[in-house]
Amino acid sequence: PAITMLSYFIFSFQQRIEIHKLRQGDNLILGFSIGGGIDQDPTQNPFSEDKTDKGIYVTRVTEGGPAEVAGLQIGDKIMQVNGWDMTMVTHDQARKRLTKRNEEVVRLLVTRQSLQKAVQQSMMS
Amino acid sequence: MSAAMDTESTYSGYSHYSGHSKKAHRQGRDRHKSPRSKDGSRSEKSVTIQAPPAEPLLGNDASRVEEGQDDNWGETTTAITGTSEHSISQEDIARISKDLEDSVGLDCKRYLGLTVAAVLGLLVFLTPIAFILLPQILWRDDLEPCGTVCEGLFISVAFKLLILLIGTWALFFRQPKADIPRVFVFRALLLVLIFLFVFSYWLFYGVRILDLKDTNYQGIVQYAVSLVDALLFIHYLAIVLLELRQLQPMFTVKVVRSTDGESRYYSLGHLSIQRAALVVLENYYKDFTVYNPAVLTASKSRAAKHMAGLKVYNVDGPGNNASGQSRAMIAAAARRRDSSHNELYYEEADHERRVRKRRARLVVAVEEAFTHIKRLQAEEQQKAPGEMMDPREAAQAIFPSMARALQKYLRTTRQQQYHSMESILQHLSFCITNNMTPKAFLERYLNPGPTLQYDRDRWFSKQWTLISEEAVTSGLQDGIVFVLKCLDFSLVVNVKKIPFIKLSEEFIDPKSHKFVLRLQSETSV
């Protein structure tokens, strides 16, 4: 039990997801939609717990797409993309960072509310 | 149902053509016809005071005023009965004329005060003239000649006296509209001030001028002018104290009628309690709907039924534990599952429906009746085909078609004793004369109106008693409560201070109104 708790601690509420882009014609698609950004209205974000959070959130995941296969879920907050920080970017900058034409694989660092709550509950019990 | 409703004088107004029989019915109610009532033309409200027995001044009056009320009131009363606004000092008048007032009645006290004030006023007015004329009369030959300066001063005295006269007439010569228990403090103060002032002037005049036969006539005239100036300033003081100070609203009073909870709010300035009571009463007659005892019978019967079903048996033996018994009854009544709320709900819904139905029938009947009347224009009057009628006859012609519907409606809303057939006919001819629509005619009957709208016999509220824990000449303060009681109900008055308002300003540049679009876009990647 102590070791499992420690292991949860090390990964600290976050999950790494690796998505391999799918080629569709001339485009490389990832299969999800994002919302949020520092130029957007954070109060309209249905997924954030704190309504002043201007981060980038996953609002839709297409079925069978590369994101779903990789384990991305709706409501995830994207913290980093390939090492680039995504917590303080505009919506358009986020889109650009995700759709770079010369990258075939993107590695996301996401945080998930259900994950947070599960860890908190196991810590308290 | 009519038997339960008509607990008071029971007549359907339509069977009476003269007001005579109405008076006969009212005899039983008017236990409070004091001798004052012979002044029938004035609308007086006598306000007697009931305060804690701090100064029992006139024990005699207590018995006379308190007839018809509970015995308890007689013990705590310090009944000062109606003085007018012009009396100088209640104590003096009482001691001087105690027998006088006992034999002659309450009116005389008011007139006494009035005459004293009038005499004082006349004296004060004639004083400057006397100051100027006395040296001329007494030692004319010794006086120094005083030419244009004196004549100028004469003119100024004359005009100032004229202004003073007009001002006093405008301010003070008003018909007193109420009898109040205690003297007006400010008026009394002003009268005393004027008296002292004029007295000191006469003293100085008598000692320095008359005795020594001063020959400097100009000085004497200037002395008289200074008196008139000072009188004008006292008049200004009177305006400020008596009129202006009350105008700015400082307090909000809430007036609640004890029988049905109808409440109103009024704004008042710095007034004494008795004057505030006067203002409240004046507004009561025009703002509150008329007191209708027939409307209250339903709640009384409900209240009687609550405690009627329970009886207390004392099983534990003798010993009269009265408070324990009543507490047990209250607890049992509270726990009992009765359905009186159900009854109330259905009764009220039923009554509402009946009233609306009758009202609809009434409106239709009146509208139809009004269509039969057509006003003749001036040129048509010469060549009228049928007979021409004046408003009264026209009213009598169309009245029968709406009489039944109106009577039924008034019975349902329990207003039938407030409207006699004669009054309805009068109102109908009034409406016809003034080209009113049927709705305007009905406005008076559909809802109960303020007390002033009705015949004085129906008022139930002509003599009022002011019940207060504070002295009634003290000013209003926050949190004071006093009660205006008349025979059938009382008005509870609660005084609250208008809160101190802190108002600050904020300037907004019109150019600073700028807006952005707040989006939440979703992009698929």
Side-chain angles (χ1 to χ4, degrees):
Chain A
I3 295 184
T4 44
M5 271 171 61
L6 209 58
S7 66
Y8 279 134
F9 245 121
I10 289 172
F11 290 114
S12 68
F13 308 171
Q14 288 170 344
Q15 187 165 357
R16 291 185 188 279
I17 292 182
E18 195 173 293
I19 305 181
H20 297 263
K21 291 189 189 175
L22 183 66
R23 183 162 289 278
Q24 257 189 10
D26 207 20
N27 301 323
L28 285 167
I29 63 162
L30 288 152
F32 66 97
S33 301
I34 52 166
I38 52 177
D39 57 338
Q40 304 285 309
D41 178 13
T43 59
Q44 294 184 36
N45 190 343
F47 304 109
S48 59
E49 201 167 284
D50 176 14
K51 290 302 171 194
T52 60
D53 183 5
K54 293 188 175 179
I56 306 291
Y57 280 79
V58 175
T59 56
R60 248 185 327 125
V61 177
T62 55
E63 281 200 9
E68 193 189 9
V69 164
L72 194 64
Q73 287 181 17
I74 186 174
D76 290 352
K77 177 176 175 181
I78 302 178
M79 312 291 282
Q80 288 180 7
V81 171
N82 283 347
W84 293 99
D85 171 60
M86 296 288 266
T87 54
M88 280 288 155
V89 292
T90 67
H91 190 86
D92 209 42
Q93 284 171 348
R95 183 191 57 81
K96 281 192 188 135
R97 295 226 183 108
L98 283 166
T99 53
K100 286 197 158 56
R101 297 183 79 91
N102 50 357
E103 290 175 353
E104 291 241 350
V105 175
V106 284
R107 292 183 179 81
L108 309 176
L109 183 66
V110 304
T111 177
R112 197 172 291 163
Q113 273 191 13
S114 52
L115 198 63
Q116 278 185 14
K117 284 203 178 105
V119 172
Q120 277 173 354
Q121 277 171 6
S122 68
M123 275 173 64
M124 281 191 250
S125 61
Chain B
M1 181 159 81
S2 59
M5 279 189 324
D6 299 343
T7 49
E8 266 74 47
S9 45
T10 69
Y11 59 94
S12 89
Y14 302 132
S15 54
H16 287 87
Y17 281 84
S18 65
H20 170 67
S21 41
K22 267 189 282 183
K23 286 269 174 14
H25 276 283
R26 303 306 299 152
Q27 287 308 339
R29 278 327 230 110
D30 288 336
R31 311 201 274 274
H32 269 246
K33 279 268 190 251
S34 55
R36 188 193 319 254
S37 67
K38 58 184 183 262
D39 241 359
S41 55
R42 295 198 198 180
S43 63
E44 306 162 314
K45 301 165 277 263
S46 77
V47 184
T48 56
I49 180 182
Q50 301 205 344
E55 330 158 50
L57 273 184
L58 300 169
N60 283 9
D61 274 357
S63 52
R64 185 152 47 85
V65 165
E66 298 313 316
E67 54 177 277
Q69 292 186 347
D70 296 345
D71 289 335
N72 288 341
W73 294 113
E75 283 152 14
T76 56
T77 248
T78 67
I80 320 291
T81 53
T83 68
S84 81
E85 304 137 355
H86 290 281
S87 74
I88 295 178
S89 160
Q90 179 58 26
E91 288 86 340
D92 288 346
I93 289 182
R95 282 186 210 116
I96 289 169
S97 60
K98 193 161 175 181
D99 292 304
L100 177 70
E101 115 198 46
D102 274 352
S103 56
V104 178
L106 307 163
D107 270 352
C108 214
K109 195 189 298 191
R110 198 187 334 152
Y111 290 130
L112 192 67
L114 217 69
T115 43
V116 169
V119 163
L120 185 68
L122 206 62
L123 217 69
V124 164
F125 187 73
L126 292 176
T127 301
I129 303 177
F131 282 2
I132 295 176
L133 288 180
L134 277 176
Q136 296 271 358
I137 297 171
L138 292 180
W139 61 93
R140 173 183 276 247
D141 309 319
D142 301 330
L143 286 177
E144 289 168 17
C146 156
T148 43
V149 181
C150 277
E151 282 160 21
L153 289 175
F154 287 155
I155 292 179
S156 87
V157 165
F159 274 108
K160 280 178 189 164
L161 278 179
L162 182 67
I163 290 173
L164 197 62
L165 190 66
I166 295 177
T168 313
W169 168 81
L171 193 61
F172 292 117
F173 288 9
R174 278 180 281 193
Q175 231 184 11
K177 42 188 180 165
D179 269 345
I180 48 163
R182 305 255 181 179
V183 78
F184 272 136
V185 171
F186 283 140
R187 282 182 203 242
L189 275 179
L190 277 171
L191 284 174
V192 167
L193 180 69
I194 291 177
F195 179 71
L196 283 177
F197 180 74
V198 171
F199 182 71
S200 61
Y201 260 72
W202 269 110
L203 203 62
F204 183 84
Y205 188 76
V207 166
R208 291 293 183 86
I209 296 180
L210 283 182
D211 277 354
L212 304 179
K213 292 207 190 300
D214 192 9
T215 55
N216 180 11
Y217 193 52
Q218 183 176 342
I220 295 175
V221 176
Q222 272 175 342
Y223 183 67
V225 171
S226 80
L227 171 65
V228 180
D229 286 341
L231 284 177
L232 277 174
F233 283 128
I234 292 186
H235 188 258
Y236 156 77
L237 190 68
I239 294 179
V240 164
L241 279 183
L242 297 180
E243 305 284 320
L244 287 184
R245 194 164 170 262
Q246 276 82 254
L247 289 181
Q248 193 165 33
M250 296 285 304
F251 298 99
T252 309
V253 300
K254 175 175 181 176
V255 186
V256 182
R257 184 157 60 183
S258 65
T259 49
D260 57 359
E262 185 168 345
S263 64
R264 292 272 187 289
Y265 286 86
Y266 300 113
S267 280
L268 296 177
H270 274 295
L271 292 174
S272 59
I273 292 184
Q274 59 187 2
R275 287 186 73 178
L278 270 185
V279 172
V280 165
L281 284 177
E282 281 158 20
N283 283 319
Y284 168 79
Y285 282 102
K286 83 165 164 59
D287 282 334
F288 280 71
T289 61
V290 66
Y291 168 71
N292 195 349
V295 173
L296 304 167
T297 50
S299 58
K300 280 191 200 154
S301 64
R302 261 204 307 279
K305 263 193 277 176
H306 277 308
M307 302 288 259
L310 297 173
K311 276 183 154 193
V312 176
Y313 293 100
N314 203 345
V315 226
D316 293 331
N320 196 8
N321 189 3
S323 75
Q325 271 184 15
S326 36
R327 236 177 275 167
M329 276 189 78
I330 293 172
R335 259 180 261 131
R336 180 177 62 174
R337 288 141 138 271
D338 63 3
S339 58
S340 56
H341 57 277
N342 242 352
E343 255 178 61
L344 172 64
Y345 170 68
Y346 283 115
E347 200 181 297
E348 277 194 350
D350 205 29
H351 182 255
E352 185 72 17
R353 223 167 354 115
R354 241 180 310 137
V355 165
R356 281 212 214 117
K357 236 195 196 169
R358 293 258 166 100
R359 181 198 164 116
R361 284 203 196 125
L362 173 63
V363 171
V364 163
V366 172
E367 279 174 0
E368 209 185 304
F370 266 66
T371 57
H372 295 310
I373 296 264
K374 182 166 134 29
R375 177 177 273 266
L376 285 180
Q377 302 303 320
E379 43 302 340
E380 290 173 0
Q381 278 179 15
Q382 274 81 42
K383 48 181 172 76
E387 58 175 62
M388 287 191 293
M389 300 184 283
D390 66 358
R392 171 99 191 158
E393 289 162 7
Q396 275 167 339
I398 62 173
F399 179 66
S401 60
M402 65 167 89
R404 192 173 158 76
L406 185 58
Q407 182 179 10
K408 278 205 166 148
Y409 181 80
L410 288 179
R411 270 198 197 276
T412 314
T413 52
R414 303 196 185 108
Q415 291 177 62
Q416 75 271 23
Q417 63 227 48
Y418 287 98
H419 303 285
S420 68
M421 177 152 123
E422 181 55 37
S423 76
I424 298 177
L425 274 173
Q426 258 180 358
H427 187 235
L428 186 55
S429 57
F430 170 77
C431 290
I432 291 176
T433 316
N434 292 310
N435 281 332
M436 292 202 188
T437 60
K439 201 156 183 204
F441 163 71
L442 278 177
E443 164 270 331
R444 182 187 249 223
Y445 302 108
L446 289 179
N447 297 309
T451 317
L452 278 179
Q453 189 176 302
Y454 299 100
D455 195 20
R456 290 200 70 182
D457 294 340
R458 296 263 153 268
W459 277 6
F460 288 107
S461 53
K462 282 185 262 191
Q463 181 155 350
W464 296 88
T465 308
L466 173 60
I467 302 172
S468 153
E469 287 163 16
E470 317 264 334
V472 292
T473 48
S474 65
L476 288 179
Q477 306 275 340
D478 188 29
I480 282 186
V481 175
F482 58 93
V483 177
L484 285 161
K485 190 173 152 65
C486 84
L487 197 61
D488 299 297
F489 59 93
S490 51
L491 299 170
V492 181
V493 180
N494 200 348
V495 178
K496 284 201 184 12
K497 200 166 155 64
I498 292 179
F500 181 74
I501 298 173
K502 271 184 119 107
L503 197 61
S504 56
E505 74 158 292
E506 184 184 330
F507 173 69
I508 293 188
D509 188 0
K511 293 199 204 88
S512 68
H513 298 299
K514 302 267 182 251
F515 297 93
V516 289
L517 280 180
R518 293 175 73 92
L519 308 166
Q520 183 68 6
S521 37
E522 194 186 358
T523 319
S524 55
V525 292

